Amino acid sequence: MRQVLTFILIILLSNCTIMKPEDYKNTEPKIKIEEYFLGDVKAWGIFQGRSGIVKRQFTAKMNGSFNGENFILNEDFSWNDGEKQKRQWTIKKIGDHNYEGTAADVVGVAKGKSYGSAFKFEYDLLIPYKDKKIKVSFDDWIFKQDDEVAINRAIVTKFGFKIGELTVFFLKSLN
């Protein structure tokens, strides 16, 4: 019986694919976050719990600029339950495809990779929960659709278990 279960597990795991940024190297339009998020960008998003039920919604205003060495992205979130959040990312390009980012509520350093139309950002974030802060992990994917639109899908985990998904629609001001 143990051999049969082991065989089934091997078959199931071998059929799993893990998406990598490099899989998108030949896709268009190319995303460079330091260009797409430069200036004003608006966002609308939802957070879904494990079961897929929408738990929260938000709008956000973002503005990106350079401070001479790093890309600075300011984010202002307005959640549908009245909560307001601000985050300022400091993002540094460290090679052709790699990025590192920091923010006050990010634990350690966020790691980013950009290939073709895809940008992947992985980081641990402290979020408010019942009068304290808990650490969750984000596996963020942003896909550029055209010069104005990008779509973000993030899986949020705690201790390796999925606790929810975030979907965000970005609209860049081309003025």
Side-chain angles (χ1 to χ4, degrees):
M1 182 64 168
R2 186 178 297 171
Q3 290 173 335
V4 171
L5 290 175
T6 302
F7 178 74
I8 291 170
L9 183 61
I10 289 170
I11 295 297
L12 289 173
L13 290 176
S14 67
N15 287 330
C16 295
T17 59
I18 297 175
M19 193 165 67
K20 300 179 299 296
E22 294 86 349
D23 295 339
Y24 299 92
K25 66 183 175 189
N26 297 320
T27 60
E28 295 284 339
K30 304 273 187 230
I31 187 168
K32 292 183 180 179
I33 59 161
E34 67 275 21
E35 291 176 7
Y36 179 80
F37 287 101
L38 184 64
D40 294 325
V41 176
K42 291 181 183 176
W44 298 262
I46 59 172
F47 177 77
Q48 296 169 269
R50 269 189 301 245
S51 65
I53 295 171
V54 175
K55 302 287 189 176
R56 299 177 82 194
Q57 299 180 53
F58 70 88
T59 60
K61 293 180 182 176
M62 303 173 160
N63 182 272
S65 61
F66 284 97
N67 70 359
E69 183 178 327
N70 297 310
F71 182 67
I72 307 300
L73 181 61
N74 291 297
E75 302 174 325
D76 291 311
F77 295 90
S78 296
W79 291 87
N80 64 330
D81 59 7
E83 182 182 355
K84 305 281 188 202
Q85 288 178 322
K86 289 182 181 281
R87 179 173 301 111
Q88 183 179 74
W89 284 98
T90 300
I91 301 171
K92 184 175 208 158
K93 191 167 185 178
I94 54 166
D96 288 340
H97 302 281
N98 297 305
Y99 294 80
E100 289 183 341
T102 57
D105 54 355
V106 170
V107 178
V109 176
K111 301 290 185 183
K113 283 190 176 230
S114 182
Y115 282 88
S117 61
F119 178 76
K120 179 180 174 66
F121 215 28
E122 293 181 291
Y123 54 94
D124 292 331
L125 185 69
L126 295 174
I127 61 169
Y129 182 75
K130 295 185 179 178
D131 298 324
K132 59 183 176 178
K133 302 242 182 202
I134 62 169
K135 182 171 81 168
V136 297
S137 298
F138 274 74
D139 184 6
D140 254 329
W141 284 86
I142 300 173
F143 292 92
K144 186 176 177 187
Q145 304 299 301
D146 59 32
D147 287 342
E148 294 178 297
V149 176
I151 300 170
N152 176 223
R153 179 80 183 262
I155 303 297
V156 184
T157 59
K158 175 100 178 130
F159 303 123
F161 295 99
K162 179 177 158 182
I163 60 171
E165 295 182 27
L166 192 68
T167 305
V168 185
F169 171 84
F170 298 107
L171 182 61
K172 180 175 178 60
S173 174
L174 295 179
N175 296 334

